C-alpha cells in the first residue's frame, strides 16, 4: 500500500476522486435549480415591458455600468419563458469553471497527461468548494453567477489564450487569438467592479513587466491596455455608477477603504489556511515541484522574480475587496468572497512554485532531492478526507441532494408556477416555500405588493404582482 502511494497514477486518481466527490452533488443540484425572486425576474420583466435594447439601457443609465453583465442577465433563458434553462446554465457553469482550470493546467504543464492535469484540478476544486462563502451565489443564483463566476472562468481562459499567443507563429491563427484575447478583456471588465479591477491589474501588470523587467516594447500588451482603457471608459461613464456610489457616507473614502480591505484580507487568509486542508496540499505540492522542474519548458512560467509574483498576488486579492469599501462602504458580499478565495488558491500555489523554483535552481537545502515518504503521504491523504467530513459546504450539498430537500424545492416551485398561471386576477398570493435547501435557496417571494421583486415576478407571469402570503 505504501509503495502504491508513491506512484503518480495513484496520487492523480486520489485527486480525481476528490474532484468527483465535489462535482457530482453540484451537478445534481443544478438539475433542481430555479430562478430566484431576487433580481432574476426583474431583468426579463424589463425586457417584456420596454424591449430588449431599451431594457439594457435602463439598467446602464439607472443602476450600473456592468455592460457585459447587463447583456448576459437580459439574455438568459427566461426571455424564452424557459425557467428550466437556468438548470442548464448552472450545469454548464460548473463544468466550465472546472474546464477553465483544466485548460490552464494543461497550458502550464504541456507534457502532463490529462490524468495528471485532472489530478491538479481536483485538488484546487476540492479546496474551493470546501470553504466557498456561498455555493448558491457561485453557481445557482443567475444574477450573481453571470457577473462573478462567469467572468472568473473567462479570466482563467484569458490567461490560457495569452500564453498560447506567445507560442504561435505569425499568421491568421495568431491574429484571431489576439482578437479573442481583446474580446475577453472587454467582456470581463464589463461584468463587475471586482473583475474589472482584476483584469486591469493583470493587463497593466503584464505590460509593465514586459517593459521594465524584460525591457521589451510589447505591441500585443499595448493593444490589450488600449482595450482595457476603452472598456473602463464605457464602464465608468455609466450614470448608474454615480447613483450606486452615493448611497453610503463611507463610500469613496480611500484611507478607510484601504485599511478595511487589508484587515479583511488578513482575516480571510488566516481562516482559509487554518480551516481547510490547504497546508496539507501545500506540503504535497512542494514535494512534487522538484520533479516538475526537470522540464525546462514548464519552468519558464515560474521564472519570475519572487517579489513580482507576491506583489501581483497581493494586488489581485486586495483590488477585489477595495471596490466594495470604496464604492458603498461595506464588506464585500459572499459572491465577491467566492472570487477572492478562487484567486487566493491559484495564487497561493503559483507563488509557492516560484519560491521552490528558486530553491531548485540554487539547490538550497537539497531542493532537487526533496522526498516525501509514503507513510507521510498516507497520513496527509487521511487528513484530506477527514476535512471533507467536517466541511459545512460538503455536508450541505450532499444533504440537500440525498435528503430530498432539493427535489422538494423543485417540485414546490413547479406547482407554484402552475398556480400563478392558472389564477385569475392581477395580484396572486403564493404560499411560502417549505423546502429551502441552503445550496439553492436565496430568498422567497416578497410579502409587500409594492416591492420590486413582487412586481418583477408578477410581470414575468403576466400579472401585476406575485405576493407572498403572511400570517395575520
Amino acid at each position: 500500500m505504501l509503495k502504491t502511494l508513491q506512484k503518480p497514477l495513484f496520487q492523480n486518481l486520489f485527486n480525481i476522486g476528490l474532484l468527483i466527490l465535489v462535482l457530482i452533488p453540484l451537478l445534481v443540484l443544478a438539475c433542481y435549480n430555479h430562478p430566484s425572486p431576487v433580481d432574476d425576474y426583474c431583468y426579463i420583466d424589463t425586457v417584456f415591458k420596454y424591449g430588449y435594447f431599451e431594457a439594457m439601457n435602463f439598467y446602464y443609465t439607472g443602476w450600473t455600468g456592468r455592460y457585459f453583465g447587463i447583456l448576459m442577465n437580459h439574455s438568459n433563458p427566461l426571455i424564452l419563458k424557459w425557467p428550466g434553462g437556468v438548470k442548464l446554465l448552472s450545469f454548464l457553469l460548473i463544468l466550465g469553471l472546472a474546464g477553465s482550470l483544466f485548460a490552464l493546467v494543461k497550458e502550464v504543464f504541456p507534457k502532463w497527461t490529462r490524468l495528471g492535469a485532472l489530478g491538479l484540478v481536483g485538488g484546487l476544486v476540492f479546496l474551493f468548494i470546501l470553504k466557498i462563502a456561498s455555493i448558491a451565489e457561485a453557481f445557482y443564483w443567475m444574477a450573481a453567477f453571470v457577473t462573478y463566476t462567469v467572468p472568473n472562468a473567462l479570466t482563467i481562459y484569458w490567461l490560457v489564450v495569452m500564453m498560447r499567443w506567445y507560442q504561435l507563429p505569425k499568421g491568421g491563427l495568431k491574429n484571431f487569438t489576439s482578437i479573442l484575447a481583446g474580446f475577453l478583456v472587454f467582456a470581463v471588465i464589463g461584468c463587475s467592479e471586482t473583475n474589472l479591477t482584476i483584469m486591469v491589474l493583470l493587463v497593466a501588470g503584464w505590460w509593465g513587466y514586459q517593459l521594465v523587467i524584460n525591457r521589451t516594447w510589447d505591441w500585443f500588451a499595448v493593444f490589450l491596455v488600449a482595450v482595457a482603457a476603452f472598456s473602463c471608459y464605457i464602464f465608468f461613464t455609466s450614470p448608474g455608477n454615480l447613483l450606486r456610489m452615493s448611497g453610503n457616507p463611507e463610500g469613496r473614502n480611500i484611507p478607510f477603504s484601504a485599511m478595511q480591505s487589508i484587515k479583511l484580507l488578513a482575516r480571510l487568509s488566516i481562516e482559509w489556511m487554518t480551516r481547510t486542508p490547504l497546508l496539507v496540499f501545500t506540503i504535497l505540492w512542494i514535494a512534487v515541484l522538484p520533479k516538475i522542474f526537470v522540464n525546462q519548458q514548464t519552468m519558464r512560467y515560474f521564472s519570475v522574480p519572487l517579489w513580482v509574483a507576491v506583489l501581483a498576488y497581493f494586488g489581485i486579492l486586495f483590488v477585489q475587496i477595495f471596490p466594495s469599501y470604496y464604492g458603498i462602504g461595506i464588506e464585500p458580499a459572499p459572491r465577491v468572497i467566492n472570487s477572492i478565495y478562487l484567486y487566493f488558491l491559484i495564487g497561493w500555489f503559483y507563488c509557492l512554485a516560484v519560491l521552490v523554483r528558486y530553491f531548485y535552481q540554487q539547490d538550497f537545502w537539497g531542493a532537487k532531492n526533496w522526498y516525501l515518504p509514503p507513510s507521510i503521504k498516507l497520513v496527509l491523504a487521511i487528513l484530506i478526507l477527514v476535512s471533507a467530513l467536517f466541511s459545512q459546504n460538503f455536508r450541505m450539498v450532499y444533504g440537500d441532494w440525498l435528503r430530498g430537500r432539493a427535489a422538494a424545492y423543485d417540485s414546490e416551485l413547479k406547482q407554484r408556477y402552475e398556480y400563478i398561471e392558472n389564477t385569475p386576477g392581477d395580484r396572486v398570493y403564493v404560499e411560502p416555500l417549505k423546502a429551502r435547501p441552503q445550496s439553492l435557496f436565496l430568498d422567497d417571494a416578497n410579502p409587500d405588493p409594492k416591492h420590486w421583486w413582487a412586481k418583477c415576478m408578477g410581470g414575468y407571469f403576466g400579472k401585476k404582482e406575485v405576493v407572498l402570503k403572511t400570517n395575520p
Side-chain angles (χ1 to χ4, degrees):
M1 174 63 180
L2 294 180
K3 290 184 178 180
T4 304
L5 283 170
Q6 282 298 102
K7 297 180 180 179
L9 177 62
F10 178 85
Q11 297 169 28
N12 290 332
L13 289 177
F14 177 80
N15 280 350
I16 292 172
L18 297 178
L19 179 64
I20 294 172
L21 196 65
V22 294
L23 280 189
I24 285 182
L26 293 178
L27 293 173
V28 171
L29 289 173
C31 299
Y32 298 116
N33 193 28
H34 284 268
S36 172
V38 184
D39 292 344
D40 286 349
Y41 289 104
C42 289
Y43 294 104
I44 303 307
D45 175 52
T46 312
V47 172
F48 292 164
K49 287 179 178 176
Y50 304 110
Y52 184 65
F53 294 104
E54 186 57 34
M56 289 188 285
N57 181 63
F58 174 80
Y59 272 84
Y60 178 75
T61 57
W63 181 242
T64 179
R66 303 172 181 178
Y67 54 85
F68 202 75
I70 291 172
L71 173 65
M72 289 191 289
N73 271 313
H74 285 85
S75 306
N76 69 66
L78 293 181
I79 202 170
L80 302 175
K81 290 282 187 174
W82 182 31
V86 178
K87 304 175 191 290
L88 179 61
L89 283 182
S90 293
F91 192 92
L92 295 177
L93 175 66
I94 295 163
L95 293 179
L97 181 61
S100 69
L101 292 171
F102 177 80
L104 180 62
V105 171
K106 282 293 291 180
E107 192 64 33
V108 174
F109 306 105
K111 299 296 184 181
W112 281 17
T113 64
R114 292 182 178 178
L115 202 64
L118 280 173
L120 182 52
V121 172
L124 281 171
V125 174
F126 177 79
L127 282 171
F128 182 58
I129 300 302
L130 229 58
K131 196 56 182 175
I132 191 172
S134 172
I135 287 179
E137 294 186 26
F139 302 116
Y140 304 117
W141 179 26
M142 186 165 47
F145 70 61
V146 300
T147 49
Y148 289 94
T149 310
V150 168
N152 283 338
L154 293 180
T155 301
I156 297 172
Y157 281 121
W158 175 79
L159 293 173
V160 176
V161 171
M162 286 285 291
M163 288 185 282
R164 185 65 55 85
W165 187 89
Y166 286 97
Q167 301 177 53
L168 292 172
K170 292 183 178 179
L173 181 57
K174 189 162 190 170
N175 293 335
F176 172 77
T177 306
S178 302
I179 296 172
L180 177 58
F183 170 76
L184 289 173
V185 170
F186 176 79
V188 169
I189 287 177
C191 284
S192 69
E193 295 81 3
T194 300
N195 296 96
L196 179 150
T197 53
I198 295 171
M199 183 55 75
V200 167
L201 184 61
L202 288 173
V203 170
W206 175 243
W207 176 61
Y209 183 83
Q210 289 286 74
L211 191 64
V212 177
I213 304 297
N214 290 337
R215 300 183 181 276
T216 301
W217 184 261
D218 189 336
W219 283 108
F220 178 53
V222 172
F223 163 70
L224 295 178
V225 168
V227 173
F230 173 72
S231 303
C232 289
Y233 173 79
I234 297 176
F235 193 103
F236 288 116
T237 52
S238 160
N241 279 326
L242 296 176
L243 295 173
R244 296 183 72 191
M245 292 177 66
S246 62
N248 191 295
E250 293 292 350
R252 289 177 282 184
N253 184 331
I254 293 178
F256 166 82
S257 303
M259 185 58 65
Q260 292 300 116
S261 298
I262 293 172
K263 288 181 180 179
L264 179 61
L265 180 57
R267 178 170 62 82
L268 290 174
S269 299
I270 293 172
E271 183 176 336
W272 291 331
M273 286 189 287
T274 58
R275 297 189 179 182
T276 71
L278 175 63
L279 297 180
V280 174
F281 279 98
T282 297
I283 295 171
L284 294 170
W285 180 235
I286 291 175
V288 79
L289 281 171
K291 299 176 183 178
I292 295 174
F293 290 148
V294 173
N295 187 325
Q296 293 297 320
Q297 185 179 1
T298 296
M299 188 179 289
R300 63 178 178 170
Y301 290 118
F302 305 99
S303 299
V304 301
L306 180 61
W307 68 268
V308 172
V310 172
L311 184 63
Y313 181 40
F314 173 78
I316 289 174
L317 300 179
F318 176 82
V319 297
Q320 294 182 74
I321 303 174
F322 184 81
S324 290
Y325 285 111
Y326 180 75
I328 52 179
I330 61 174
E331 183 175 314
R335 52 191 173 275
V336 181
I337 304 298
N338 291 345
S339 177
I340 298 168
Y341 184 42
L342 176 64
Y343 289 101
F344 174 85
L345 290 175
I346 296 173
W348 176 272
F349 289 107
Y350 178 77
C351 288
L352 276 173
V354 172
L355 178 62
V356 173
R357 189 271 315 169
Y358 179 75
F359 287 165
Y360 180 87
Q361 286 188 323
Q362 304 298 325
D363 199 21
F364 284 171
W365 301 323
K368 292 184 178 180
N369 299 311
W370 282 353
Y371 171 76
L372 200 61
S375 56
I376 299 298
K377 286 188 176 182
L378 177 61
V379 172
L380 296 179
I382 293 173
L383 289 175
I384 290 171
L385 293 176
V386 170
S387 69
L389 298 178
F390 287 93
S391 167
Q392 182 179 355
N393 286 343
F394 186 84
R395 296 197 303 269
M396 178 179 65
V397 293
Y398 271 97
D400 287 345
W401 169 28
L402 298 178
R403 293 181 180 274
R405 291 190 290 264
Y409 172 76
D410 180 50
S411 177
E412 275 193 75
L413 281 174
K414 288 178 179 177
Q415 294 174 21
R416 174 181 284 185
Y417 301 154
E418 185 178 356
Y419 174 78
I420 294 172
E421 291 172 348
N422 294 333
T423 300
D426 291 332
R427 178 180 296 177
V428 179
Y429 288 90
V430 295
E431 297 286 346
L433 292 173
K434 296 178 181 178
R436 299 187 173 193
Q438 293 183 8
S439 55
L440 297 174
F441 179 80
L442 196 69
D443 204 346
D444 207 342
N446 198 275
D448 182 4
K450 296 181 180 180
H451 197 281
W452 55 313
W453 296 352
K455 293 181 179 295
C456 291
M457 194 171 180
Y460 174 80
F461 285 101
K463 311 290 183 179
K464 283 189 176 181
E465 300 103 10
V466 172
V467 185
L468 188 69
K469 287 183 180 179
T470 57
N471 293 326

